[in-house]
Amino acid sequence: NYPEALNNLSAAFREKGMLDSALQCCESAIRFNSKYVPSHINLGQILLQNGSAQDAKRSFQNALNLDPFNALNHFNLGNALQKLKEFEPAINSYKKAIEIDPALTDAHNNLAICWHAIGEIDHAISALKKVLAIEPRYPGASHLLDALSGVQTVAAPSDYIESLFDKYAETFETSLVEELKYTTPQMVLDLLKSSRGDKRIGTVLDLGCGTGLVGKALENRCERIVGVDLSRNMLEKAQKK
């Protein structure tokens, strides 16, 4: 019946990717003390990570009702709204976060993303310039600013790609397979079958392996497969396969 310990245990489970255990601990913490703000924040982050943005929105709103002058509470609510593609309410949440803490670079960055999503490019550019004014090496901000300003670059910087796909790892397969109908792993497997029949191949190097979809498709067709990716979170998903 110790909410602080239950909340911390929940955070530890979440860090390990054990979301069901994290959720149970967090819900227990809230049952013991419904006014303990960190548990509502933690619950919202678990739900957001688990793809339940609508429920996360309610949790972050609960935290905000209990502590309305906390910039991170407004920021977290903005994240849930952004995930739900409720971009204008998200913009309002990020603006409120920035009013309380003008140096909150993540809020400026996400504000830029929302402005871009609704076609307000000038506002997006302005927000990115504020990000870089506060934190010149903020991951990806320079690249996004170049993209929106029409400045061509040879390639996106690796820190931008790493940050982007670390955030994308949880929903990557759902988006790729179910929404975009990604079939490359099956195409590779079919190509091997047509060219080599039932013969196994030796070592496969999968560059940009993501969550390991190609590795899963070829697991019975090769002696060994090595996956390489810039995103640590993607690699953890691949490792579990």
Side-chain angles (χ1 to χ4, degrees), residues 98 101-106 108 127-138:
I98 290 165
D101 183 1
L104 191 56
T105 48
D106 288 344
H108 287 287
L128 286 168
K129 287 180 177 177
K130 287 176 182 175
V131 171
L132 292 169
I134 300 166
E135 194 175 334
R137 295 179 64 83
Y138 190 92

Side-chain angles (χ1 to χ4, degrees), residues 23 42-53 55-56 59:
L23 190 64
N42 195 20
L43 179 59
Q45 290 171 339
I46 294 165
L47 291 166
L48 202 57
Q49 190 174 340
N50 213 20
S52 304
D55 292 331
S59 291

Side-chain angles (χ1 to χ4, degrees), residues 36-205:
Y36 186 56
V37 174
S39 289
H40 290 287
I41 295 170
N42 195 20
L43 179 59
Q45 290 171 339
I46 294 165
L47 291 166
L48 202 57
Q49 190 174 340
N50 213 20
S52 304
Q54 192 66 50
D55 292 331
K57 174 182 168 182
R58 282 193 288 271
S59 291
F60 291 139
Q61 186 64 64
N62 287 337
L64 193 58
N65 291 341
L66 292 166
D67 188 3
F69 301 107
N70 187 318
L72 288 176
N73 287 344
H74 289 283
F75 172 74
N76 286 327
L77 179 58
N79 289 344
L81 292 165
Q82 182 183 334
K83 194 75 174 178
L84 292 166
K85 301 189 186 304
E86 297 177 20
F87 295 114
E88 293 188 5
I91 286 169
N92 290 332
S93 288
Y94 291 136
K95 282 182 174 180
K96 288 174 183 175
I98 290 165
E99 283 176 15
I100 298 168
D101 183 1
L104 191 56
T105 48
D106 288 344
H108 287 287
N109 182 72
N110 289 7
L111 186 57
I113 293 169
C114 289
W115 280 128
H116 174 258
I118 62 173
E120 295 285 353
I121 304 303
D122 289 343
H123 286 311
I125 288 172
S126 177
L128 286 168
K129 287 180 177 177
K130 287 176 182 175
V131 171
L132 292 169
I134 300 166
E135 194 175 334
R137 295 179 64 83
Y138 190 92
S142 293
H143 174 65
L144 289 175
L145 182 58
D146 285 343
L148 294 181
S149 303
V151 177
Q152 293 188 2
T153 55
V154 174
S158 60
D159 62 347
Y160 168 74
I161 296 171
E162 183 178 354
S163 174
L164 178 70
F165 283 96
D166 273 348
K167 293 174 183 175
Y168 194 23
E170 281 301 323
T171 58
F172 178 74
E173 289 190 18
T174 301
S175 176
L176 206 64
V177 177
E178 296 180 16
E179 296 175 13
L180 299 179
K181 309 302 180 186
Y182 177 75
T183 58
T184 298
Q186 185 61 44
M187 291 169 68
V188 172
L189 180 59
D190 291 344
L191 183 63
L192 279 173
K193 286 179 178 177
S194 65
S195 63
R196 298 182 64 88
D198 293 329
K199 292 181 181 178
R200 290 166 65 89
I201 56 177
T203 299
V204 174
L205 177 60

